[in-house]
């Protein structure tokens, strides 16, 4: 239950070789839905924290029927959101060393448009562009009623291989 909505949980693990149906951590999807219209309303996509090289792809397209969606990187045990995740996720993924779940945008001319969104959360997500320009929004909400709650918690935004937080970063893109 988040924001008085009983979200269905779909597990996503971009580090696995073959995805399952997303019903449990052991049968997680390998990636987010491939098209914007395949995202389902009132769904929490719980994404395993992994290295940057194992990232989900956010699709381009439009889904104006989405009202409530969470893109939740697996919380660390000291995150407030940790209490909201199912025990199965805590058992399987809580002690992963990576700081973020990774979502990349790979379509330079595309956006994920959600004009009907009411609740949207990115938590512990590194959202980055992979080999594309930064001249378009990755997510767009063009509704004019200003009635959405959009939250970002413990997130990072950038471009693949550019890590300004690393002391040894010298301006050359790195992926390790």
């Amino acid at each position: 239950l988040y924001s008085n909505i009983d979200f269905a949980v779909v597990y996503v693990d971009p580090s696995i070789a073959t995805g399952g149906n997303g019903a449990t951590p052991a049968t997680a999807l390998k990636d987010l839905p491939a098209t914007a219209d395949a995202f389902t309303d009132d769904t929490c996509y719980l994404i395993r924290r992994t290295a940057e090289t194992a990232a989900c792809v956010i699709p381009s397209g439009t889904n104006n029927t989405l009202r409530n969606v969470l893109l939740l990187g697996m919380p660390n045990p000291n995150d407030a959101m940790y209490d909201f995740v199912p025990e199965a996720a805590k058992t399987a993924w809580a002690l992963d060393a990576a700081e973020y779940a990774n979502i990349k945008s790979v379509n330079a001319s595309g956006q994920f448009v959600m004009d009907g969104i009411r609740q949207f959360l990115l938590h512990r997500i590194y959202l980055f562009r992979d080999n594309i320009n930064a001249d378009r929004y990755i997510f767009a909400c063009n509704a004019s009623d200003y009635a959405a709650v959009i939250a970002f918690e413990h997130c990072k935004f950038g471009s693949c291989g550019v890590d300004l937080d690393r002391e040894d970063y010298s301006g050359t893109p790195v992926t390790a």
Side-chain angles (χ1 to χ4, degrees), residues 39-145:
F39 276 72
T40 55
D41 197 29
D42 296 343
T43 300
C44 170
Y45 294 92
L46 182 55
I47 307 165
R48 187 174 192 171
R49 297 186 319 270
T50 60
E52 182 180 323
T53 54
C56 297
V57 174
I58 195 71
S60 295
T62 300
N63 186 335
N64 288 330
T65 64
L66 273 181
R67 297 291 179 261
N68 308 295
V69 68
L70 310 178
L71 297 177
L72 184 70
M74 178 63 197
N76 284 329
N78 59 347
D79 291 345
M81 289 298 294
Y82 187 77
D83 294 336
F84 292 95
V85 299
E87 288 301 318
K90 293 176 185 177
T91 301
W93 297 345
L95 300 179
D96 288 343
E99 187 173 356
Y100 298 102
N102 299 287
I103 299 176
K104 64 183 176 179
S105 176
V106 297
N107 185 343
S109 62
Q111 297 176 317
F112 189 130
V113 179
M114 306 172 283
D115 286 347
I117 202 74
R118 293 294 176 255
Q119 297 286 329
F120 180 71
L121 170 73
L122 287 180
H123 173 85
R124 201 158 285 286
I125 298 290
Y126 175 32
L127 180 65
F128 63 92
R129 290 175 167 81
D130 191 0
N131 202 28
I132 60 172
N133 293 334
D135 57 353
R136 295 197 40 105
Y137 299 118
I138 295 174
F139 294 105
C141 176
N142 302 311
S144 60
D145 60 3

